[in-house]
Amino acid sequence: MTRLTGRALRLTVFVGERDTWHHKPLYSEIVHRAHAAGLAGASVFRGIEGFGASSLIHTSRLLSLSEDLPVAVVIVDTEPRVRAFLPQLDELVGEGLVTLDDCEVIRYAGRDDTPGATDTKGKNSL
């Protein structure tokens, strides 16, 4: 399990939901590459409305534009590990926005791999 506390770097990649990489969703490719690179974690968030460099507003309220909603992929890890991952994004992201922010990790904990085990708060990990 990756241990992560203290100062870290948050990488956020903003792309469109319909953006693809070899016929696969781009956000999925980013997550899988982050996993393969051993980064601490990645999450994908689907926006309900937004616009980017094209100034075209995408919203879930209009059926014609709801097919390409904004998506944010967020990755948090140590600065050297995140910066080492950036060249892969250069290859993947043709249109979109990539940002880096300093952050502080207060708590980073995963589930125990043992079936039926409980966490520190007594919750079942199943």
Side-chain angles (χ1 to χ4, degrees):
M1 177 176 117
T2 302
R3 299 226 181 260
L4 182 64
T5 56
R7 294 188 51 80
L9 200 60
R10 178 179 50 224
L11 166 66
T12 307
V13 183
F14 297 93
V15 294
E17 186 176 36
R18 288 176 35 188
D19 292 345
T20 60
W21 177 260
H22 296 269
H23 310 290
K24 178 178 174 182
L26 177 58
Y27 60 84
S28 181
E29 182 66 19
I30 294 168
V31 168
H32 283 86
R33 286 195 185 197
H35 183 261
L39 294 173
S43 297
V44 178
F45 300 94
R46 184 178 189 224
I48 58 172
E49 188 166 33
F51 71 94
S54 69
S55 295
L56 179 65
I57 294 179
H58 298 271
T59 177
S60 61
R61 292 180 287 137
L62 301 172
L63 289 176
S64 63
L65 296 177
S66 66
E67 298 168 356
D68 193 23
L69 293 171
V71 172
V73 181
V74 179
I75 299 168
V76 176
D77 207 322
T78 62
E79 182 171 352
R81 293 171 65 87
V82 170
R83 290 198 181 276
F85 184 68
L86 292 178
Q88 292 201 51
L89 293 179
D90 286 339
E91 176 187 355
L92 294 172
V93 180
E95 293 181 7
L97 173 67
V98 178
T99 65
L100 293 172
D101 301 290
D102 290 322
C103 64
E104 183 178 357
V105 175
I106 303 300
R107 184 171 196 277
Y108 176 67
R111 295 183 196 169
D112 185 17
D113 293 334
T114 308
T118 57
D119 65 13
T120 58
K121 295 180 183 176
K123 296 179 183 173
N124 193 318
S125 65
L126 293 177

